[in-house]
Structure formats: structure tokens, C-alpha cells
Amino acid sequence: MLTHLKITGIHVLDQDEALDFYVNKLGLEVRTDADLGFMRWLTVGVPGDPDREIMLEKPGPPIMDESTTDQVRSLLSKGAGAGWLIFSTDDVHQAHAELKAKGVELPEEPTEQSYGVDFGFRDPFGNQIRVGRTTPPS
């Protein structure tokens, strides 16, 4: 029935700020940036991985009524309504250094875990991001 996951979405309060962060800081590429009239359809993706996209969605109509939109925006501004993104990389330490050089706030250093090495941080809207390299279970 289902064959693969194409697009996953996270909420952002400002799509232009999100676009700047995800493209200029994290190095993702724009896949779609379309004004549909009732909303802006904005997706980004990892270069070289054309099968998956992240929708940077501003809470609001047509999905949410005004009251729900206000609640979601309030939760986002507190970092409590955030989503998760987990990226993989071949060199976690290099990725950490490059993100730090680009001004990304990184509260964690790369740390060895039972599953590999990774580090985490948040985007400007409180969405949690982890970057790592996993090792196959023994």
C-alpha cells in the first residue's frame, strides 16, 4: 500500500527565517517554494537525497482555525510544540565545526553513544535537530 515517506513537516513561525536557517546554515536546498494563495508551500531537502523533503509550514489556515493557530504559535515560541529532525553525516565532528562556524548555537559537543556519535541543537523555532553517524548493532 504505502511505498515510502516523501515529505515530513515541521512548524515554523517565519518561513523566510526558516528558509535562511535551513539553506544558509544547515546547507539544505530548496525543493519547492510556491505561493498557493491560501498558503506558501515551502520544502527543503538534503542535497543528493531527492526522495525526502521537509515542509517548513507556518501554522494557520487552511489546516487550523484561528484559535488553534494561536495555541500552536504559543507552544512553538516556548519550544514546546516542536518537531524532530535527525540528519546523518559521515563526519560528525566536521559537521559540528562547520555549523558552529556558521553561527548555529550548539549546546552539545559530539558525544559517543551506544548507537554511534551525535549532537543536538534547536532551530530558531524550537524544533529539535540531531546530527550523527550511527553504527550498526553488533
Side-chain angles (χ1 to χ4, degrees), residues 3 11 13 17 47 55 69 88 111 118 124 133 135:
T3 59
H11 286 120
L13 295 174
E17 184 181 357
M55 182 176 192
T69 298
S88 61
T111 304
D118 73 350
R133 180 183 40 78
T135 52

Side-chain angles (χ1 to χ4, degrees), residues 22 26 28 45-46 54 85-89 121 129-133:
Y22 282 92
L26 299 190
L28 303 187
V46 174
I54 302 163
L85 296 172
I86 301 174
F87 295 99
S88 61
T89 183
F121 58 99
I129 298 172
R130 294 206 71 80
V131 175
R133 180 183 40 78

Side-chain angles (χ1 to χ4, degrees), residues 59-136:
I63 304 299
M64 298 176 194
D65 61 29
E66 190 174 324
S67 175
T68 303
T69 298
D70 290 342
Q71 291 173 2
V72 170
R73 286 183 181 152
S74 176
L75 287 170
L76 276 173
S77 66
K78 297 174 185 175
W84 271 89
L85 296 172
I86 301 174
F87 295 99
S88 61
T89 183
D90 293 329
D91 189 331
V92 177
H93 295 279
Q94 178 183 344
H96 188 273
E98 288 178 15
L99 291 171
K100 191 172 187 175
K102 290 181 178 183
V104 176
E105 290 185 37
L106 301 172
E108 294 181 18
E109 293 294 321
T111 304
E112 294 288 335
Q113 309 284 359
S114 61
Y115 51 81
V117 58
D118 73 350
F119 64 93
F121 58 99
R122 292 182 185 265
D123 76 1
F125 315 99
N127 293 297
Q128 298 180 57
I129 298 172
R130 294 206 71 80
V131 175
R133 180 183 40 78
T134 56
T135 52

